Amino acid sequence: MDKIPQFVADVKARKKVLMGFGHRVYKNYDPRAKIVKQIADEVFQIVGKEPLVDIAMELEKVALTDEYFIKRKLYPNVDFYSGVIYKALGIPTEMFTILFTLPRLAGWLAHWNEFLDDPFNKIVRPRQIYKGHLRR
C-alpha cells in the first residue's frame, strides 16, 4: 500500500501503465463495470480479499478522485473488476487473458456470422492481432 503514491506518480509521468482503466467507447464510468463491481463485493464477502485485491481497490479509489484520471476520463473498466474477482478466487494471473476473452467470444462469433450473411461484405479486416509466441 505504501508504494501506491509512487506508482500513481509513475502512471502520471507515463512511466507505468495502470491496466483496467479507460475504455475507447465509454468516456464515463463503464455501466458494465458497476454491475461487476457489485459482484466483486459479493465475492469478497464470501472468499475474502487478499493483499493484491486490497491494493487494486485502493488504486481504484485514487483514480476515481484524482484530477489526472478524471480529466482523462480514465475510469475502471469491466476487466478491472473481473480481474480482482479472478484474483480473489485464486485463479492464476496467467489465465486472466483467456478469461477476459471467453465472454467476448460469443459477440465476436455473432459479428462473424452476420458478416457471412451480408452479401455486400467483400473482405474482413479483423483488428485482433495475435502477438504472442508463434512456436514453443
Side-chain angles (χ1 to χ4, degrees):
M1 292 284 207
D2 56 326
K3 294 181 182 180
I4 290 176
Q6 182 59 52
F7 179 78
V8 170
D10 288 345
V11 169
K12 291 178 181 182
R14 299 182 187 249
K15 294 178 184 175
K16 303 256 183 189
V17 177
L18 180 55
M19 300 302 288
F21 283 75
H23 194 283
R24 65 185 175 89
V25 174
Y26 299 116
K27 299 306 176 193
N28 293 307
Y29 202 97
D30 183 342
R32 303 166 305 159
K34 288 181 181 181
I35 295 166
V36 180
K37 181 178 179 10
Q38 291 172 348
I39 294 168
D41 291 336
E42 292 172 19
V43 169
F44 299 153
Q45 288 176 3
I46 296 167
V47 299
K49 286 192 231 179
E50 63 166 88
L52 285 178
V53 172
D54 287 333
I55 291 169
M57 301 318 286
E58 186 61 29
L59 281 170
E60 174 203 34
K61 271 193 235 173
V62 170
L64 290 177
T65 57
D66 189 289
E67 189 60 36
Y68 175 89
F69 296 96
I70 295 169
K71 181 179 168 188
R72 288 166 177 75
K73 301 181 182 202
L74 298 173
Y75 299 97
N77 60 40
V78 72
D79 289 332
F80 175 79
Y81 293 112
S82 54
V84 295
I85 289 171
Y86 299 152
K87 192 67 179 166
L89 293 174
I91 296 172
T93 308
E94 302 82 47
M95 296 297 296
F96 286 14
T97 302
I98 191 66
L99 291 174
F100 293 149
T101 303
L102 286 173
R104 292 170 169 87
L105 186 59
W108 293 342
L109 290 173
H111 285 281
W112 174 72
N113 198 35
E114 288 172 1
F115 173 82
L116 292 178
D117 290 341
D118 186 346
F120 298 105
N121 285 326
K122 294 182 180 176
I123 190 167
V124 169
R125 291 189 177 96
R127 292 184 177 182
Q128 289 80 21
I129 300 171
Y130 177 74
K131 294 185 176 185
H133 296 281
L134 297 178
R135 248 185 125 159
R136 286 193 170 204

